[in-house]
Amino acid sequence: MPAGTLFIVATPIGNLADLSPRALETLKTVAGICAEDTRHTRQLLSHFGIDRPLLALHEHNEEAMSERIVERISSGDSLALVSDAGTPLVSDPGYRVVRAARAAGLRVSPIPGACAAIAALSVAGLPSDRFAFEGFLPAKSSARRERMGRLASETRTLVFYESSHRIAESLADMRAVFGDDRTAVIARELTKMFETVLDGTLAELHARVEADDNQRKGEFVVMVQGAGDDEEAQLIEGRRLYAKLSEHLPPSTAAKLAAEISGAPRKVLYGQGGAD
């Protein structure tokens, strides 16, 4: 019997009408569906009158499940992999299964559809020819700021996912790291009833979110415009490196190394800690 196929199926991020006809047909005809949350997926399938066996696949069992899934596909079953919403593997489990299937020489085929990051970028009005998707930031503020610090000189548009209970704190950290005046866009509850897209500076957006309880509910995509020209990016990166290096080295040495690595002017960096 010929081997089956592993279909990576995108599902709606809110509006159920966004499920494509091809995705619908695939979910109806596969031998089983691998789902991050079987209860959530069962509700989606029930809405469309689909009755297929479900296999739980999440971050805690993905390694163990990969072998089982590969065995089934090798024996002739075609399976679908879905996440709770959107395109699987984008900030969701699944890449280990895909890697195992491809290593076994099996066919892995995408059934494209909704993706919150791409949907948000399409309406943001920020440069989207090049962007850096960072997914969810760390839960703790110190770790968030450290991650952001490494991105401060990035010239591409930055794309983050954030939850309702951390959106205000994350925006505060973005202001501290990227600066109050950096342009950003917040897309909330995309394709759902209370969809909103807000734009402005990070300071303005933080104030709006803090002032309105409704803007702290739902699921968020936060997009931050990248650093300006190469000179500005070099300066931002130089200052970040100088701050880190000066914790362990004399200011003049820290400035020299930070300038060599980043390309920023040494005198400007050294001026942060004292006169040359």
Side-chain angles (χ1 to χ4, degrees), residues 8-265:
I8 310 302
V9 182
T11 56
I13 58 176
N15 192 319
L16 296 180
D18 291 336
L19 187 69
S20 74
R22 184 171 172 229
L24 186 59
E25 183 63 24
T26 300
L27 294 176
K28 286 179 178 179
T29 57
V30 290
I33 300 170
C34 307
E36 184 180 4
D37 184 335
T38 55
R39 293 168 301 179
H40 181 93
T41 299
R42 189 170 285 112
Q43 292 177 351
L44 174 70
L45 298 179
S46 177
H47 176 84
F48 289 101
I50 300 172
D51 183 15
R52 293 283 85 194
L54 294 174
L55 296 80
L57 177 72
H58 45 73
E59 60 181 339
H60 302 297
N61 74 348
E62 185 179 350
E63 200 75 53
M65 284 292 293
S66 295
E67 183 177 351
R68 179 181 169 189
I69 291 168
V70 166
E71 288 177 355
R72 286 196 58 179
I73 298 172
S74 298
S75 68
D77 283 346
S78 285
L79 301 176
L81 188 157
V82 301
S83 63
D84 286 351
T87 299
L89 281 73
V90 181
S91 276
D92 290 316
Y95 85 87
R96 293 179 180 86
V97 174
V98 171
R99 182 173 61 190
R102 294 185 61 81
L106 299 172
R107 181 176 177 234
V108 182
S109 180
I111 310 294
C115 175
I118 301 303
L121 270 172
S122 73
V123 296
L126 294 175
S128 55
D129 53 332
R130 297 172 65 244
F131 61 90
F133 175 69
E134 288 292 317
F136 285 97
L137 288 162
K140 294 185 177 179
S141 178
S142 59
R144 274 201 305 271
R145 291 195 181 202
E146 183 178 355
R147 172 85 66 82
M148 291 176 190
R150 296 197 296 268
L151 298 168
S153 61
E154 174 61 67
T155 56
R156 294 173 293 177
T157 297
L158 300 171
V159 183
F160 305 97
Y161 285 165
E162 194 50 275
S163 62
S164 57
H165 59 281
R166 284 200 299 265
I167 183 64
E169 291 81 0
S170 287
L171 288 171
D173 289 337
M174 288 178 186
R175 291 179 63 182
V177 175
F178 300 135
D180 283 351
D181 295 330
R182 185 80 73 94
T183 300
V185 177
I186 301 174
R188 182 179 73 93
E189 293 289 87
L190 287 174
T191 78
K192 301 175 185 176
M193 182 181 296
F194 298 107
E195 172 184 286
T196 57
V197 179
L198 306 178
D199 57 50
T201 65
L202 282 170
E204 291 168 345
L205 292 173
H206 184 217
R208 291 181 71 175
V209 169
E210 286 278 29
D212 186 350
D213 289 346
N214 290 323
Q215 296 305 323
R216 297 194 299 276
K217 297 176 182 178
E219 298 174 332
F220 299 82
V221 182
V222 181
M223 295 153 288
V224 181
Q225 187 161 322
D229 54 25
D230 290 341
E231 185 176 335
E232 179 187 356
Q234 288 176 345
L235 185 56
I236 292 172
E237 178 64 4
R239 284 172 172 162
R240 184 185 76 83
L241 290 170
Y242 176 80
K244 285 289 185 183
L245 292 169
S246 61
E247 294 175 2
H248 309 283
L249 298 170
S252 59
T253 304
K256 181 174 183 295
L257 287 173
E260 289 177 358
I261 295 170
S262 67

